[in-house]
């Protein structure tokens, strides 16, 4: 298997406890990789080392076998930084032309490539306007166009949709899906876990500069215990204690939503079950106790929950520290 | 590198640096022309001027004063233009997040740095050249006297060389200092160069008459020398004026102290100092290339 990105004990020590330590990753070519972590975890530091903006204190990183930061490696990447701005006195089109020159792109195809990208990210003819008149969302769209300009093999996206409205987010998600289908490797650094869940094959969770967990998205979601909701009637507090005792699993009564008018003794139960087979057993227990079972639902587990579970109880250097 | 160079020019034009500089320069030209015309009127009769050796010397002195005034402004204008155009070259752009996407591109950082350097330097040199020629032309128009043409090439090189130094130093400092801090530091350093020359003038004027005068002058000489070594820009200006007014060749016939008073040309630096300046420039230019390669963004 060929790897697009490999890091070996990658470490950046800023001398103030920040940075990252001993990060080892392997991302196969053509996969979408989601990089998660609380604020200040060190995600952007790793991205910066991979794109050559920052020199590692220790360890090394390779992009398609080339040392990260080398001109050869940078030839194959596109990068959308987290905090960036293009010069306001340039037009969007001129900014892309300048970056095309930096990439060594020449000829008439450059103009058509720029026009195509401006359309694709939703800027269109406003590409001729000065950037100083762009909204934050438009600047982010331009940044995305810039990252894709050289048709790179790896695209590093650091919070690509943070300034976008829901429509913009949807468009960016679709664009990234298309890139993934084209076989591009995507390194997505984002707090929008829903986007990561829909797009990425792999995820890694970073906390305090160290990898806390990583794996395939499907495995990560499967590994976390599934939650089930049961709408029941005729429930008493004694029965709840009995169910908890016999099931040896968390069973909770869910509060009713505002505006709902439950019948007497009717409740929603939430139960965490490790195996789907346990659902049948739980149904039988309910019926044996004379409880009426109206409805059963599996609550889809999400990366949000996995993320919260993984970092709960851990110290992390957020904005307050 | 050429793309970065061209972009730098575009930036200086679009940010209205060119427009403002030209507008203020036009104001200077108008004011300077009236001053020069007024000063030249007294000795405006060319036939009279050529009729006597002393009147010729007077006219030369008159034009020397005007040129000194013109180049005094010129050194200010080019110095500040060099500093403030390049003050945000690295840290300012990094703060704004412009460099992050640029340095992820497949070009060596040193080429970007050189592109920016050439952009700022060529822009400021073009301006310095226009200013130099215009000052000479206005004084010639007003007094009918021009400096020795054979000395002109050397004088131009000396006049523009502070631009190279200041852009180089400002860009190097901008690898660490934020634009505001860098601007303050560079202006103070540039001003320190004037202080060095001012100390020399005070020594030459013999302003200290106490018993300790020799000792004080000696201390001031050392301080002035160190300042010149630290920032050679004003020393280069002194050498330029010295070449232009042929201070060495004319000897006693042209005493700059008699002509220019406290603003006389003092201690024009030697050729060895010019070599020192060349080495100084090379060291700081290479240091800038090294710093940009090592810097984390």
């Amino acid at each position: 298997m060929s790897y697009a990105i490999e890091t070996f004990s990658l470490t950046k020590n800023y001398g103030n406890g920040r940075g990252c330590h001993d990060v080892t990753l392997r991302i196969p070519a053509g996969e979408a990789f989601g990089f998660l972590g609380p604020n200040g975890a060190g995600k952007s530091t790793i991205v910066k080392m991979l794109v050559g903006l920052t020199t590692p204190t220790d360890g090394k990183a390779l992009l398609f076998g080339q040392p990260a930061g080398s001109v050869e490696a940078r030839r194959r990447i596109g990068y959308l930084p987290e905090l960036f701005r293009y010069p306001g006195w340039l037009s969007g089109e001129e900014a892309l032309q300048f970056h095309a020159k930096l990439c060594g792109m020449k000829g008439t195809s450059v103009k058509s490539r720029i026009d195509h990208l401006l359309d694709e990210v939703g800027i269109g003819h406003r590409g001729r306007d000065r950037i100083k008149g762009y909204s934050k969302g438009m600047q982010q769209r331009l940044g995305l166009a810039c990252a894709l300009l050289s048709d790179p093999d790896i695209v590093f996206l650091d919070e690509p949709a943070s300034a976008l409205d829901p429509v913009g987010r949807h468009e960016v998600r679709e664009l990234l899906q298309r890139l993934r289908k084209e076989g591009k490797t995507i390194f997505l650094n984002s707090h929008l876990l829903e986007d990561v869940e829909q797009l990425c094959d792999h995820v890694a969770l970073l906390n305090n500069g160290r990898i806390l967990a990583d794996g395939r998205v499907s495995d990560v979601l499967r590994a976390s215990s599934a939650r089930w909701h049961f709408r029941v009637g005729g429930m008493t507090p004694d029965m709840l204690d009995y169910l908890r005792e016999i099931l040896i699993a968390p069973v909770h009564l869910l509060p009713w939503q505002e505006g709902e008018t439950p019948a007497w003794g009717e409740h929603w139960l939430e139960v965490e079950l490790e195996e789907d087979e346990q659902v049948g057993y739980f149904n039988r227990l309910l019926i044996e106790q004379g409880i009426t079972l109206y409805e059963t639902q599996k609550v889809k587990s999400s990366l949000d929950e996995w993320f919260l579970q993984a970092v709960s109880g851990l110290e992390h250097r957020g904005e307050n520290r | 590198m050429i793309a970065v160079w061209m972009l730098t020019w575009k930036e200086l034009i679009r940010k209205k640096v060119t427009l403002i500089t030209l507008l203020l320069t036009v104001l200077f030209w108008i004011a300077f022309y009236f001053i020069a015309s007024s000063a030249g009127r007294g000795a405006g009769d060319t036939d009279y001027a050529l009729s006597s050796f002393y009147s010729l010397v007077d006219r030369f002195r008159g034009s020397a004063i005007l040129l000194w005034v013109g180049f005094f402004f010129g050194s200010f204008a080019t110095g500040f233009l060099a500093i403030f155009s390049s003050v945000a070259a690295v840290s300012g752009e990094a703060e704004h997040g412009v460099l992050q996407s640029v340095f992820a591109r497949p070009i060596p950082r040193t080429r970007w740095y050189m592109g920016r350097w050439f952009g700022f330097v060529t822009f400021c040199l073009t301006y310095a050249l226009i200013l130099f020629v215009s000052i000479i032309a206005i004084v010639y128009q007003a007094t009918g006297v021009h400096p020795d043409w054979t000395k002109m090439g050397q004088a131009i090189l000396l006049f523009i060389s502070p631009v190279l130094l200041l852009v180089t130093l400002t860009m190097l400092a901008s690898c660490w200092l934020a634009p505001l801090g860098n601007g303050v530091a560079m202006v103070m350093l540039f001003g320190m160069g004037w202080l060095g020359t001012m100390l020399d003038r005070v020594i030459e004027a013999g302003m200290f008459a106490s018993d300790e005068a020799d000792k004080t002058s000696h201390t001031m000489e050392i301080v002035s020398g160190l300042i010149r070594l630290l920032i050679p820009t004003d020393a280069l200006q002194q050498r330029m004026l010295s070449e232009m007014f042929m201070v060495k060749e004319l000897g006693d016939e042209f005493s700059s102290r008699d002509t220019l008073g406290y603003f006389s040309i003092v201690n024009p630096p030697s050729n060895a100092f010019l070599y020192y300046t060349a080495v100084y420039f090379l060291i700081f230019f290479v240091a800038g290339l090294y710093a940009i390669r090592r810097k984390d963004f």
Side-chain angles (χ1 to χ4, degrees):
Chain A
M1 182 183 285
S2 75
Y3 291 101
I5 303 168
E6 288 175 282
T7 69
F8 305 91
S9 298
L10 198 62
T11 300
K12 180 70 188 179
N13 187 358
Y14 286 115
N16 56 0
R18 303 255 160 189
C20 60
H21 311 276
D22 205 21
V23 173
T24 299
L25 291 171
R26 276 184 157 187
I27 302 168
E31 290 215 345
F33 180 82
F35 205 36
L36 314 176
N39 287 331
K43 304 186 295 293
S44 292
T45 300
I46 289 173
V47 174
K48 283 179 178 180
M49 283 192 282
L50 292 175
V51 301
L53 291 175
T54 299
T55 317
T57 313
D58 204 2
K60 67 172 179 175
L62 301 174
L63 305 184
F64 286 110
Q66 302 287 346
S70 64
V71 171
E72 293 73 27
R74 280 186 281 157
R75 225 181 283 286
R76 302 186 72 172
I77 66 168
Y79 172 48
L80 171 66
E82 183 186 10
L83 299 169
F84 72 96
R85 208 161 69 184
Y86 293 106
W89 43 271
L90 284 179
S91 69
E93 214 171 74
E94 286 171 332
L96 293 181
Q97 279 163 359
F98 172 63
H99 277 266
K101 283 178 191 163
L102 294 181
C103 294
M105 295 166 72
K106 284 177 191 153
T108 50
S109 60
V110 176
K111 169 106 183 62
S112 56
R113 174 79 181 151
I114 288 172
D115 289 343
H116 167 73
L117 280 171
L118 287 172
D119 283 338
E120 192 156 29
V121 299
I123 292 179
H125 68 277
R126 286 212 58 198
R128 290 180 206 119
D129 295 348
R130 295 269 173 98
I131 296 170
K132 67 181 172 192
Y134 284 15
S135 66
K136 224 175 160 192
M138 277 186 72
Q139 291 209 30
Q140 199 145 32
R141 287 165 190 262
L142 180 65
L144 197 56
C146 200
L148 302 177
L149 185 63
S150 60
D151 195 20
D153 295 317
I154 310 174
V155 190
F156 290 94
L157 304 167
D158 204 344
E159 299 292 349
S162 58
L164 298 177
D165 57 24
V167 178
R169 262 181 68 189
H170 177 74
E171 286 171 3
V172 167
R173 205 185 295 159
E174 282 193 337
L175 176 63
L176 296 181
Q177 294 283 13
R178 277 204 299 279
L179 290 174
R180 196 178 145 210
K181 281 180 193 151
E182 286 170 18
K184 308 285 183 201
T185 306
I186 299 171
F187 190 105
L188 180 62
N189 189 355
S190 178
H191 286 302
L192 300 171
L193 301 187
E194 197 189 328
D195 291 357
V196 175
E197 195 175 324
Q198 288 189 19
L199 181 78
C200 296
D201 308 289
H202 272 86
V203 283
L205 176 60
L206 195 73
N207 191 47
N208 292 342
R210 292 180 190 278
I211 297 281
L212 202 63
D214 69 330
R216 295 195 73 80
V217 172
S218 50
D219 294 342
V220 161
L221 294 178
R222 206 176 300 132
S224 55
S225 53
R227 286 180 298 120
W228 289 80
H229 286 177
F230 300 87
R231 189 158 68 89
V232 295
M235 192 79 185
T236 62
D238 292 348
M239 283 178 190
L240 193 61
D241 291 339
Y242 169 76
L243 289 172
R244 280 177 184 149
E245 202 174 303
I246 201 157
L247 204 62
I248 321 172
V251 181
H252 312 284
L253 281 178
L254 291 177
W256 290 100
Q257 301 293 315
E258 208 173 311
E260 286 180 321
T261 48
W264 183 85
E266 189 182 326
H267 294 282
W268 274 106
L269 290 179
E270 184 181 83
V271 187
E272 283 183 32
L273 299 170
E274 285 177 8
E275 302 289 338
D276 285 0
E277 286 73 24
Q278 288 178 287
V279 179
Y281 174 59
F282 189 71
N283 281 347
R284 205 183 77 199
L285 278 177
L286 291 172
I287 291 161
E288 279 175 1
Q289 297 303 311
I291 294 168
T292 312
L293 180 62
Y294 297 114
E295 195 178 345
T296 304
Q297 291 176 354
K298 184 176 185 181
V299 181
K300 193 174 172 290
S301 57
S302 66
L303 271 183
D304 279 280
E305 287 175 52
W306 175 74
F307 182 96
L308 289 171
Q309 271 176 22
V311 299
S312 71
L314 296 175
E315 278 195 5
H316 55 89
R317 50 188 195 205
E319 292 107 336
N320 296 329
R321 288 176 61 87
Chain B
M1 190 170 85
I2 289 169
V4 181
W5 181 345
M6 293 299 116
L7 192 85
T8 305
W9 269 77
K10 194 179 266 187
E11 177 185 5
L12 293 168
I13 291 166
R14 293 240 176 117
K15 280 184 168 175
K16 298 191 173 63
V17 175
T18 317
L19 184 70
I20 292 163
T21 309
L22 282 179
L23 280 176
L24 292 175
T25 305
V26 168
L27 281 181
F28 162 74
W29 283 337
I30 293 168
F32 189 57
Y33 178 77
F34 281 115
I35 293 167
S37 301
S38 165
R41 211 171 291 137
D45 185 346
T46 313
D47 293 337
Y48 163 76
L50 294 174
S51 65
S52 117
F53 172 75
Y54 291 107
S55 67
L56 200 63
V57 171
D58 280 346
R59 287 168 68 83
F60 183 80
R61 280 190 179 135
S63 77
I65 292 168
L66 288 171
L67 285 172
W68 187 92
V69 170
F71 287 119
F72 183 71
F73 168 82
S75 72
F76 259 109
T78 52
F80 286 146
L81 184 67
I83 290 171
F84 288 109
S85 57
S86 56
V87 76
V90 180
S91 60
E93 297 211 352
E95 266 177 28
H96 288 138
V98 174
L99 286 186
Q100 282 78 344
S101 56
V102 170
F103 285 162
R105 294 301 183 195
I107 58 154
R109 288 183 188 184
T110 46
R111 274 171 64 186
W112 174 89
Y113 189 88
M114 285 198 286
R116 290 294 268 172
W117 187 87
F118 275 113
F120 292 128
V121 160
T122 51
F123 181 83
C124 295
L125 287 188
T126 307
Y127 175 71
L129 212 58
I130 291 169
L131 204 57
F132 186 93
V133 172
S134 67
I135 290 166
I136 299 278
I138 289 171
V139 172
Y140 178 57
Q141 167 75 20
T143 65
V145 178
H146 61 76
D148 184 356
W149 297 124
T150 59
K151 297 280 183 182
M152 210 55 86
Q154 212 174 346
I156 289 175
L157 284 178
L158 287 163
F159 181 68
I160 62 176
S161 52
V163 166
L164 302 182
L165 293 185
L166 288 170
V167 170
T168 306
L169 284 175
T170 310
M171 280 188 68
L172 170 65
S174 84
C175 290
W176 297 283
L177 298 175
L180 182 62
N182 193 15
V184 170
M186 293 314 299
V187 167
M188 288 182 80
L189 195 62
F190 186 45
M192 210 184 274
W194 287 331
L195 177 70
T197 306
M198 201 56 81
L199 289 178
D200 281 341
R201 287 185 184 126
V202 170
I203 298 163
E204 194 167 283
M207 292 173 82
F208 293 98
S210 68
D211 295 342
E212 295 291 308
D214 283 349
K215 205 173 162 188
T216 310
S217 294
H218 181 64
T219 309
M220 285 172 77
E221 262 174 36
I222 291 172
V223 173
S224 146
L226 288 175
I227 287 174
R228 283 186 165 201
L229 291 175
L230 183 67
I231 178 77
T233 48
D234 206 56
L236 293 172
Q237 179 82 358
Q238 295 303 308
R239 175 69 188 257
M240 185 273 286
L241 292 170
S242 158
E243 291 296 329
M244 189 176 277
F245 301 151
M246 297 188 296
V247 171
K248 204 160 60 178
E249 287 87 344
L250 289 175
D252 291 341
E253 299 303 333
F254 177 78
S255 159
S256 77
R257 197 177 142 197
D258 292 344
T259 309
L260 300 168
Y262 287 129
F263 301 105
S264 57
I265 301 157
V266 286
N267 288 345
S270 63
N271 286 341
F273 186 84
L274 297 185
Y275 295 132
Y276 163 78
T277 308
V279 173
Y280 176 100
F281 157 72
L282 278 175
I283 287 172
F284 286 109
F285 184 71
V286 172
L289 294 175
Y290 181 75
I292 199 73
R293 279 187 64 187
R294 302 282 302 166
K295 188 170 170 61
D296 282 343
F297 289 93

